[in-house]
Coordinates of all heavy atoms in Angstrom, one line a residue:
A27 N 200.9 14.3 46.9 CA 199.6 14.6 46.4 C 199.4 16.1 46.1 O 198.9 16.5 45.1 CB 198.5 14.1 47.3
L28 N 199.9 16.9 47.1 CA 199.8 18.4 46.9 C 200.6 18.9 45.8 O 200.2 19.8 45.0 CB 200.3 19.1 48.2 CG 199.3 19.0 49.4 CD1 199.9 19.6 50.7 CD2 198.0 19.7 49.1
R29 N 201.8 18.3 45.6 CA 202.6 18.7 44.4 C 201.9 18.4 43.1 O 201.9 19.1 42.2 CB 204.0 18.1 44.5 CG 204.9 18.8 45.4 CD 206.3 18.2 45.2 NE 207.2 18.9 46.1 CZ 208.5 18.7 46.2 NH1 209.1 17.8 45.4 NH2 209.3 19.4 47.0
A30 N 201.4 17.2 43.0 CA 200.6 16.8 41.8 C 199.4 17.7 41.6 O 199.2 18.1 40.4 CB 200.2 15.3 42.0
E31 N 198.8 18.0 42.7 CA 197.6 18.9 42.5 C 198.0 20.3 42.1 O 197.4 20.9 41.2 CB 196.9 19.0 43.9 CG 195.5 19.6 43.8 CD 194.8 19.5 45.1 OE1 194.9 18.5 45.8 OE2 194.2 20.6 45.5
L32 N 199.2 20.8 42.6 CA 199.7 22.1 42.2 C 200.1 22.0 40.7 O 199.8 23.0 40.0 CB 200.9 22.4 43.1 CG 201.6 23.7 42.7 CD1 200.7 24.9 42.9 CD2 202.9 23.9 43.5
D33 N 200.8 21.0 40.3 CA 201.1 20.9 38.9 C 199.9 20.9 38.0 O 199.8 21.5 36.9 CB 201.9 19.6 38.6 CG 203.3 19.6 39.2 OD1 203.8 20.8 39.5 OD2 203.9 18.6 39.4
K34 N 198.9 20.1 38.4 CA 197.6 20.1 37.6 C 197.0 21.5 37.6 O 196.5 21.9 36.5 CB 196.7 19.1 38.3 CG 195.4 18.9 37.5 CD 194.5 17.8 38.1 CE 193.3 17.6 37.3 NZ 192.4 16.6 37.9
A35 N 197.0 22.2 38.7 CA 196.4 23.5 38.8 C 197.2 24.5 37.9 O 196.6 25.4 37.2 CB 196.4 24.0 40.2
N36 N 198.5 24.4 37.9 CA 199.3 25.2 37.0 C 199.0 24.9 35.5 O 199.0 25.9 34.7 CB 200.8 25.0 37.3 CG 201.3 25.7 38.6 OD1 200.6 26.6 39.0 ND2 202.3 25.2 39.2
E37 N 198.8 23.7 35.2 CA 198.5 23.3 33.8 C 197.1 23.9 33.4 O 197.0 24.5 32.3 CB 198.5 21.8 33.6 CG 199.8 21.2 33.5 CD 199.7 19.6 33.4 OE1 198.7 19.2 32.9 OE2 200.7 19.0 33.8
E38 N 196.2 23.8 34.3 CA 194.8 24.4 34.1 C 194.9 25.9 34.0 O 194.3 26.5 33.1 CB 193.9 24.0 35.2 CG 192.5 24.4 35.1 CD 191.7 23.7 34.0 OE1 192.1 22.6 33.6 OE2 190.7 24.3 33.5
F39 N 195.7 26.5 34.8 CA 195.9 28.0 34.7 C 196.5 28.4 33.4 O 196.0 29.3 32.8 CB 196.8 28.4 35.9 CG 197.2 29.9 35.8 CD1 196.3 30.9 36.1 CD2 198.5 30.3 35.3 CE1 196.6 32.2 36.0 CE2 198.8 31.6 35.2 CZ 197.9 32.6 35.5
A40 N 197.5 27.6 32.9 CA 198.1 28.0 31.6 C 197.1 27.8 30.5 O 197.1 28.7 29.6 CB 199.3 27.0 31.4
K41 N 196.3 26.8 30.6 CA 195.2 26.6 29.5 C 194.2 27.8 29.6 O 193.8 28.3 28.5 CB 194.5 25.3 29.7 CG 195.3 24.1 29.3 CD 194.5 22.8 29.5 CE 195.4 21.6 29.3 NZ 194.7 20.3 29.6
L42 N 193.8 28.1 30.8 CA 192.8 29.2 30.9 C 193.4 30.6 30.5 O 192.7 31.4 29.9 CB 192.3 29.3 32.3 CG 191.4 28.1 32.8 CD1 191.0 28.2 34.2 CD2 190.1 28.1 31.9
K43 N 194.7 30.8 30.8 CA 195.3 32.0 30.4 C 195.4 32.1 28.9 O 195.2 33.2 28.3 CB 196.7 32.1 31.0 CG 197.5 33.4 30.7 CD 198.8 33.4 31.4 CE 199.6 34.7 31.0 NZ 200.9 34.7 31.6
D44 N 195.8 31.0 28.3 CA 195.9 31.0 26.8 C 194.5 31.2 26.2 O 194.4 32.0 25.3 CB 196.4 29.6 26.3 CG 196.6 29.5 24.8 OD1 197.3 30.4 24.3 OD2 195.9 28.7 24.2
A45 N 193.4 30.6 26.7 CA 192.1 30.8 26.2 C 191.7 32.3 26.4 O 191.1 32.9 25.5 CB 191.1 29.9 26.9
Y46 N 192.0 32.9 27.6 CA 191.7 34.3 27.8 C 192.4 35.2 26.8 O 191.8 36.1 26.2 CB 192.1 34.6 29.2 CG 192.1 36.1 29.5 CD1 190.9 36.9 29.6 CD2 193.3 36.8 29.5 CE1 191.0 38.2 29.8 CE2 193.3 38.2 29.7 CZ 192.2 38.9 29.8 OH 192.2 40.2 30.0
L47 N 193.7 34.9 26.6 CA 194.4 35.8 25.7 C 193.9 35.7 24.3 O 193.8 36.7 23.6 CB 195.9 35.4 25.7 CG 196.7 35.8 27.0 CD1 198.1 35.2 27.0 CD2 196.7 37.3 27.3
R48 N 193.5 34.5 23.9 CA 193.0 34.3 22.5 C 191.6 35.0 22.4 O 191.3 35.7 21.4 CB 192.8 32.8 22.2 CG 194.1 32.1 21.9 CD 193.9 30.6 21.7 NE 195.2 29.9 21.6 CZ 195.9 29.8 20.5 NH1 195.5 30.4 19.4 NH2 197.0 29.1 20.5
A49 N 190.8 34.8 23.4 CA 189.4 35.5 23.4 C 189.6 37.0 23.4 O 188.9 37.7 22.7 CB 188.6 35.0 24.6
N50 N 190.5 37.5 24.2 CA 190.8 39.0 24.2 C 191.3 39.5 22.9 O 190.8 40.5 22.4 CB 191.8 39.3 25.3 CG 191.8 40.8 25.6 OD1 190.8 41.4 25.6 ND2 193.0 41.3 25.9
A51 N 192.2 38.7 22.2 CA 192.7 39.1 20.9 C 191.5 39.1 19.9 O 191.4 40.0 19.0 CB 193.8 38.2 20.5
D52 N 190.7 38.1 19.9 CA 189.5 38.0 19.0 C 188.6 39.2 19.2 O 188.1 39.8 18.3 CB 188.7 36.7 19.2 CG 189.5 35.5 18.6 OD1 190.4 35.7 17.8 OD2 189.1 34.4 19.0
F53 N 188.4 39.6 20.5 CA 187.5 40.7 20.8 C 188.1 42.0 20.3 O 187.4 42.8 19.7 CB 187.3 40.8 22.3 CG 186.4 41.9 22.7 CD1 185.0 41.9 22.3 CD2 186.9 43.0 23.4 CE1 184.2 43.0 22.7 CE2 186.1 44.1 23.7 CZ 184.7 44.0 23.4
E54 N 189.4 42.2 20.4 CA 190.1 43.4 19.9 C 190.0 43.5 18.4 O 189.7 44.5 17.9 CB 191.5 43.4 20.4 CG 191.7 43.7 21.9 CD 191.2 45.0 22.3 OE1 191.3 46.0 21.6 OE2 190.6 45.1 23.4
N55 N 190.2 42.3 17.7 CA 190.0 42.3 16.3 C 188.6 42.6 15.9 O 188.4 43.4 14.9 CB 190.4 40.9 15.7 CG 191.9 40.7 15.8 OD1 192.7 41.7 15.9 ND2 192.3 39.5 15.8
Y56 N 187.6 42.1 16.6 CA 186.2 42.4 16.3 C 186.0 43.9 16.5 O 185.3 44.5 15.7 CB 185.3 41.6 17.3 CG 183.9 42.0 17.2 CD1 183.1 41.6 16.1 CD2 183.3 42.7 18.2 CE1 181.8 41.9 16.1 CE2 182.0 43.1 18.2 CZ 181.2 42.7 17.1 OH 179.9 43.1 17.0
K57 N 186.5 44.5 17.6 CA 186.3 46.0 17.8 C 186.9 46.8 16.6 O 186.3 47.7 16.2 CB 186.9 46.4 19.1 CG 186.1 46.1 20.3 CD 186.6 46.5 21.7 CE 187.7 47.4 21.8 NZ 188.2 47.7 23.1
K58 N 188.1 46.4 16.2 CA 188.7 47.1 15.1 C 187.9 47.0 13.8 O 187.7 47.9 13.1 CB 190.1 46.6 14.9 CG 191.1 47.0 16.0 CD 192.5 46.3 15.7 CE 193.4 46.6 16.9 NZ 194.7 45.9 16.7
R59 N 187.4 45.8 13.5 CA 186.6 45.5 12.3 C 185.3 46.3 12.4 O 184.9 46.9 11.4 CB 186.4 44.0 12.2 CG 185.8 43.6 10.9 CD 185.7 42.1 10.7 NE 185.2 41.3 11.8 CZ 186.0 40.6 12.6 NH1 187.2 40.4 12.4 NH2 185.4 39.9 13.6
L60 N 184.7 46.4 13.6 CA 183.5 47.1 13.7 C 183.7 48.6 13.5 O 182.9 49.3 12.9 CB 182.9 46.8 15.1 CG 181.5 47.2 15.4 CD1 180.5 46.5 14.5 CD2 181.1 46.9 16.9
E61 N 184.8 49.1 14.1 CA 185.1 50.5 13.9 C 185.4 50.9 12.4 O 184.9 51.9 11.9 CB 186.4 50.9 14.8 CG 186.7 52.3 14.7 CD 185.7 53.3 15.3 OE1 184.9 52.8 16.2 OE2 185.6 54.4 14.9
K62 N 186.1 50.0 11.7 CA 186.4 50.2 10.3 C 185.1 50.2 9.5 O 184.9 51.0 8.6 CB 187.3 49.1 9.8 CG 187.7 49.2 8.4 CD 188.7 48.1 8.0 CE 189.0 48.2 6.5 NZ 189.8 47.1 6.1
D63 N 184.2 49.2 9.8 CA 182.9 49.2 9.2 C 182.0 50.4 9.4 O 181.4 51.0 8.6 CB 182.1 47.9 9.6 CG 182.7 46.7 9.1 OD1 183.6 46.7 8.2 OD2 182.3 45.6 9.6
K64 N 182.1 50.9 10.7 CA 181.4 52.1 11.0 C 181.9 53.3 10.3 O 181.1 54.1 9.7 CB 181.5 52.4 12.5 CG 180.8 53.6 13.0 CD 181.1 53.8 14.5 CE 180.7 55.1 15.0 NZ 181.1 55.3 16.4
Q65 N 183.2 53.5 10.2 CA 183.8 54.6 9.4 C 183.5 54.5 7.9 O 183.2 55.5 7.3 CB 185.4 54.6 9.6 CG 185.8 55.0 11.0 CD 187.3 54.9 11.1 OE1 188.0 54.3 10.3 NE2 187.8 55.4 12.2
S66 N 183.5 53.3 7.4 CA 183.1 53.1 6.0 C 181.6 53.5 5.8 O 181.3 54.1 4.8 CB 183.3 51.6 5.6 OG 183.0 51.4 4.3
A67 N 180.8 53.1 6.7 CA 179.3 53.4 6.6 C 179.1 54.9 6.6 O 178.3 55.5 5.8 CB 178.5 52.7 7.7
V68 N 179.8 55.6 7.5 CA 179.7 57.1 7.6 C 180.3 57.7 6.3 O 179.7 58.6 5.8 CB 180.4 57.6 8.8 CG1 180.6 59.1 8.8 CG2 179.7 57.1 10.1
L69 N 181.4 57.2 5.9 CA 182.1 57.8 4.7 C 181.2 57.6 3.4 O 181.2 58.5 2.6 CB 183.4 57.1 4.5 CG 184.4 57.7 3.6 CD1 184.8 59.1 4.0 CD2 185.7 56.8 3.5

């Protein structure tokens, strides 16, 4: 039962890590786009 629970936790961890990495990449892209828009507005 503990092994099954560990496997399930590892799967959940992998899913959460993937979601975190995707959200972080989206946020970085958003920051870059915002900076580009800011530079364009100033220019």
Side-chain angles (χ1 to χ4, degrees):
L28 287 174
R29 280 191 179 180
E31 195 175 316
L32 178 62
D33 290 343
K34 186 177 179 182
N36 283 337
E37 286 178 23
E38 182 70 20
F39 173 75
K41 287 179 185 176
L42 290 174
K43 182 179 178 183
D44 183 58
Y46 165 76
L47 291 174
R48 289 177 188 275
N50 193 37
D52 287 344
F53 181 68
E54 289 299 319
N55 289 338
Y56 172 75
K57 282 182 10 181
K58 289 176 187 175
R59 191 170 47 249
L60 195 60
E61 184 64 28
K62 184 179 176 185
D63 291 347
K64 179 182 167 186
Q65 288 175 351
S66 179
V68 168
L69 192 60

